Amino acid sequence: MLIFKPTGIKRNFYLVLIKQRKKMPLNPSQQSAVNKTSGPCLIFAGPGTGKTYTLVEKIKHLIASGKFKPNEILALTFSVEAANSLKKEVAKEIGNAEQITIKTFHS
């Protein structure tokens, strides 16, 4: 994710804006994807729509619900960049992220 820091904004204020953005509630479509726990789930949306955030929340939900162990979760993305971004975000949120398989369709 590329974030531009506008000139003239103090660092602390800028960090608060980033933290608030991450805590925004899921929209109804995102919440529906997070809550789906049976069968595969395809999240298909344009750039900047919160796909990575939705996937991270879904993975957290699957583990917290007790229905899945981390080693039973497979997340596939279309690009190496997206897979690496997802791995990084999952690692921040979940301590045992290395057990979750996050790959591209091409690997």
Side-chain angles (χ1 to χ4, degrees):
M1 179 171 65
L2 188 59
I3 299 174
F4 294 97
K5 181 179 178 186
T7 57
I9 294 180
K10 293 182 180 174
R11 185 176 186 276
N12 291 343
F13 178 72
Y14 180 66
L15 291 174
V16 168
L17 290 176
I18 292 172
K19 287 180 182 176
Q20 287 177 347
R21 180 176 172 262
K22 288 206 173 243
K23 294 187 183 224
M24 292 185 77
L26 298 167
N27 68 36
S29 295
Q30 291 168 322
Q31 192 64 57
S32 175
V34 167
N35 291 339
K36 184 179 183 321
T37 58
S38 62
C41 180
L42 173 66
I43 298 175
F44 185 75
T49 55
K51 293 179 297 295
T52 300
Y53 180 66
T54 303
L55 282 170
V56 171
E57 292 300 310
K58 180 170 186 66
I59 290 168
K60 285 172 40 181
H61 176 73
L62 290 173
I63 294 169
S65 72
K67 293 183 179 183
F68 296 90
K69 297 175 187 168
N71 64 346
E72 297 174 328
I73 297 172
L74 169 65
L76 296 174
T77 67
F78 284 106
S79 71
V80 173
E81 182 182 353
N84 290 338
S85 174
L86 182 58
K87 284 178 190 178
K88 181 178 149 190
E89 293 300 319
V90 169
K92 278 191 225 175
E93 296 288 329
I94 302 167
N96 52 1
E98 65 278 349
Q99 295 179 11
I100 300 167
T101 304
I102 301 173
K103 301 282 185 185
T104 68
F105 283 101
H106 312 289
S107 59

